[in-house]
Amino acid sequence: MTTPAVPTAPRIPEAVHRRRWAILGVLMLSLLIVVLDNSILNVAIKTISTPAPTGLGATQSELEWAINAYTLVFAGLLFSAGLLGDRIGRKKVLLGGLAVFGIGSALAAESGTPAQLIAFRALMALGAAFVMPATLAVLMNVFEREEQPKAIGIWAGGVGLAIAIGPITGGLLLAHFWWGSVFLINVPIVLLAFGLMMWLVPESRDPNPGRLDPVGVALSVVGLVLLVYGIIKGGELADFTDPTVLVTIGAGLAVLAAFVVFEKRSDHPSVDVGYFRNKVFSAAICVIALVFFALMGVTFFSVFYTQSVRGYSPLQTGLLLLPLAAAQLIFAPRARLVVDRIGVRATTTAAMLLLTATLAAFALLEADTPIWLLEVVFFCMGAGMAHIMTPTSVVIMQALPREKAGSASALSNTFRQVGGALGIAVLGSVLSTSYRDGISGSLGTLPEGLRHTAGESIEATLGVAASLGDRGKALVGPANDAFLHAMHVTALCGAGVALVGAAVVAAFLPGRPKPVPADAEEEQPARTTS
């Protein structure tokens, strides 16, 4: 007769363990507003580009910066935000981040110019940078390891929920209120999340935190801003050989290289470069960046396709995105079951190939393509995303010790945001350059002053056409044709990037998961108080 093994003591306090699912709900609500803000803005892009009083008359470059100002500040501060949460407490930074995000949302709603909108979006990003990494870090500290894949899957499904709610909410608001309402809607959600967080979420921190790294943060922000600004400027000028563009991009790359060197030599880096010696961790991080590079760049133009070319309203555009959101909501929590059966590598490789195919499918869309085909594409895209984000997030979060959850989450979200920012910049520039080349031959009869303005984007062309009355109707057909050609070129570029991601996961991610002994985790647990 053998003596039964003594069960391993749980690492999570019982009081916290009992309310872990309620805590996850609060974390998802906090995540909701950060993701919802971008999905709402995507629907409002066309309205904001409309001249006052309906919108702000933002150019395509200004629209890209309205998105990238948020993304760049968010990505640049995530390093420091994750480290600060590990150091002083994740609940504290969550609450502070929510407060700043709410204030920035209220100010963005009252923006009077594109420049003000860009500035207040940056303020919102400052708050969001402290919210996003802390949600995953808290999750890792209220769930035992065996439940973490399920919890992360539900967390990722929350992104799908936000994708669904954002465009529909944005469309409803734009149908009844002014464009600023898409930002003002964040304020009541922030207040609700703040109250629930005060009540339910426990405090947790790293018992051995590092010091803050202001030099590293400054280098990362400056480098990213210079790099993406140069890329956007190149698309705006339709000339990437322009000296200003080359100098700006070169300076950005040089500053980012200095950032990497500084972090390697620092005894308190905001990002430990040593993490990347783990090939699985590096591959997962790389794939997240490539996925969002392709996805954000392609979805940026889908709004113009549905609204400008197909003539759908903002609300109808939001409803068209429902299959994408529904697929993520359905499959993200269940992706772990597929991983258990066939392994991380097979799951993510198949999903990356599916995503590649859906991005390439945009190259087949025309002005009269049956809209149900676009819905099928969106559903398949969402299914692919669900089977990429959940497994790679689990790989990243479990690759580092639990007490470093803030750092792991910050790295994951940073690469996602940087990939998305560069995707919008690079593929947005490809779209802009291709469109300008395609429409230029039809603008010869316009006055010289209008010619450059009309060539910036399809919205600019249609705006000029409307101002010319009957004389401008001849521009509508060529504008649609030029945009469709530009969209096809951009979609194929995005598909190529996704195909590179498929090769990366096939080469480096692990196969079937192996059982992890209960005592295999780090001996030093993160401090969690109920």
Side-chain angles (χ1 to χ4, degrees):
M1 181 176 180
T2 59
T3 302
V6 178
T8 305
R11 294 167 55 86
I12 309 299
E14 180 59 30
V16 174
H17 183 73
R18 282 198 306 267
R19 62 178 191 262
R20 65 196 185 283
W21 296 110
I23 293 169
L24 178 59
V26 178
L27 297 176
M28 288 178 63
L29 184 61
S30 304
L31 174 71
L32 179 72
I33 59 169
V34 175
V35 178
L36 179 142
D37 178 73
N38 271 332
S39 58
I40 278 185
L41 181 61
N42 285 339
V43 174
I45 281 175
K46 183 176 184 293
T47 304
I48 294 173
S49 69
T50 305
T54 303
L56 293 177
T59 65
Q60 180 158 324
S61 176
E62 288 169 335
L63 289 174
E64 290 177 7
W65 272 108
I67 296 173
N68 283 331
Y70 184 93
T71 304
L72 288 177
V73 174
F74 190 16
L77 292 178
L78 277 170
F79 296 138
S80 186
L83 187 61
L84 188 63
D86 287 345
R87 182 184 181 84
I88 70 171
R90 289 139 192 162
K91 181 175 181 177
K92 290 185 180 69
V93 300
L94 264 173
L95 293 172
L98 282 173
V100 173
F101 187 87
I103 293 170
S105 297
L107 292 172
E110 299 299 326
S111 299
T113 64
Q116 289 180 1
L117 177 61
I118 292 168
F120 293 137
R121 287 274 296 164
L123 180 62
M124 293 170 66
L126 174 64
F130 288 87
V131 172
M132 180 70 91
T135 58
L136 257 184
V138 171
L139 182 155
M140 297 299 288
N141 280 276
V142 299
F143 284 91
E144 298 288 354
R145 187 179 180 92
E146 61 273 12
E147 280 189 321
Q148 287 171 2
K150 181 179 180 181
I152 290 175
I154 296 173
W155 181 88
V159 176
L161 181 64
I163 291 173
I165 293 175
I168 296 172
T169 304
L172 286 170
L173 290 170
L174 291 172
H176 297 92
F177 304 101
W178 92 115
W179 64 266
S181 60
V182 302
F183 298 110
L184 200 60
I185 191 65
N186 291 333
V187 176
I189 302 175
V190 165
L191 294 174
L192 176 61
F194 197 95
L196 291 173
M197 194 172 297
M198 289 285 292
W199 177 35
L200 287 171
V201 175
E203 186 60 280
S204 63
R205 59 178 61 86
D206 183 352
N208 298 301
R211 288 182 289 151
L212 296 181
D213 178 26
V215 176
V217 170
L219 287 172
S220 66
V221 173
V222 171
L224 288 169
V225 169
L226 287 172
L227 176 62
V228 177
Y229 177 79
I231 294 171
I232 292 176
K233 193 66 177 176
E236 187 179 339
L237 297 174
D239 181 10
F240 281 88
T241 63
D242 182 86
T244 303
V245 174
L246 291 176
V247 169
T248 307
I249 291 176
L253 292 173
V255 174
L256 289 175
F259 166 73
V260 173
V261 173
F262 181 84
E263 295 298 286
K264 288 179 69 174
R265 295 179 178 178
S266 174
D267 59 356
H268 58 284
S270 56
V271 54
D272 187 346
V273 181
Y275 294 155
F276 292 93
R277 296 192 187 100
N278 182 328
K279 291 182 180 179
V280 172
F281 178 83
S282 297
I285 286 281
C286 177
V287 167
I288 283 180
L290 290 173
V291 164
F292 275 83
F293 180 99
L295 190 71
M296 292 297 288
V298 171
T299 53
F300 180 75
F301 65 62
S302 68
V303 173
F304 290 99
Y305 172 71
T306 54
Q307 293 188 37
S308 299
V309 177
R310 303 300 298 260
Y312 290 102
S313 69
L315 176 57
Q316 290 171 325
T317 298
L319 292 172
L320 288 174
L321 290 172
L322 271 177
L324 173 66
Q328 285 208 20
L329 203 57
I330 292 168
F331 294 113
R334 295 169 174 80
R336 62 187 174 83
L337 303 177
V338 181
V339 171
D340 289 343
R341 181 177 293 273
I342 65 175
V344 175
R345 183 190 302 124
T347 301
T348 51
T349 301
M352 285 297 300
L353 291 174
L354 176 61
L355 184 63
T356 301
T358 58
L359 294 175
F362 276 94
L364 304 176
L365 298 179
E366 300 291 346
D368 57 353
T369 299
I371 204 63
W372 65 265
L373 289 175
L374 178 64
E375 299 296 88
V376 171
V377 170
F378 277 147
F379 185 84
C380 293
M381 183 181 290
M385 285 290 297
H387 288 91
I388 296 165
M389 296 309 300
T390 300
T392 53
S393 295
V394 172
V395 166
I396 291 167
M397 295 306 295
Q398 292 190 343
L400 303 184
R402 186 197 296 260
E403 60 268 22
K404 299 297 182 184
S407 298
S409 177
L411 281 170
S412 172
N413 284 295
T414 296
F415 274 79
R416 178 167 66 182
Q417 293 300 320
V418 171
L422 293 178
I424 291 172
V426 174
L427 297 184
S429 296
V430 171
L431 181 73
S432 177
T433 302
S434 298
Y435 179 79
R436 188 186 295 274
D437 290 344
I439 196 64
S440 59
S442 302
L443 302 178
T445 59
L446 294 179
E448 188 174 347
L450 284 179
R451 207 172 301 160
H452 179 79
T453 302
E456 282 192 355
S457 67
I458 184 173
E459 276 304 303
T461 306
L462 295 178
V464 169
S467 70
L468 295 174
D470 291 339
R471 289 190 304 125
K473 291 181 179 179
L475 288 176
V476 175
N480 287 340
D481 292 341
F483 178 82
L484 287 170
H485 173 72
M487 183 180 79
H488 296 163
V489 172
T490 309
L492 292 176
C493 290
V497 172
L499 190 61
V500 172
V504 171
V505 296
F508 296 108
L509 289 192
R512 289 178 180 271
K514 296 179 181 179
V516 179
D519 58 353
E521 291 190 60
E522 295 290 322
E523 292 295 321
Q524 178 77 54
R527 285 207 304 269
T528 305
T529 57
S530 59

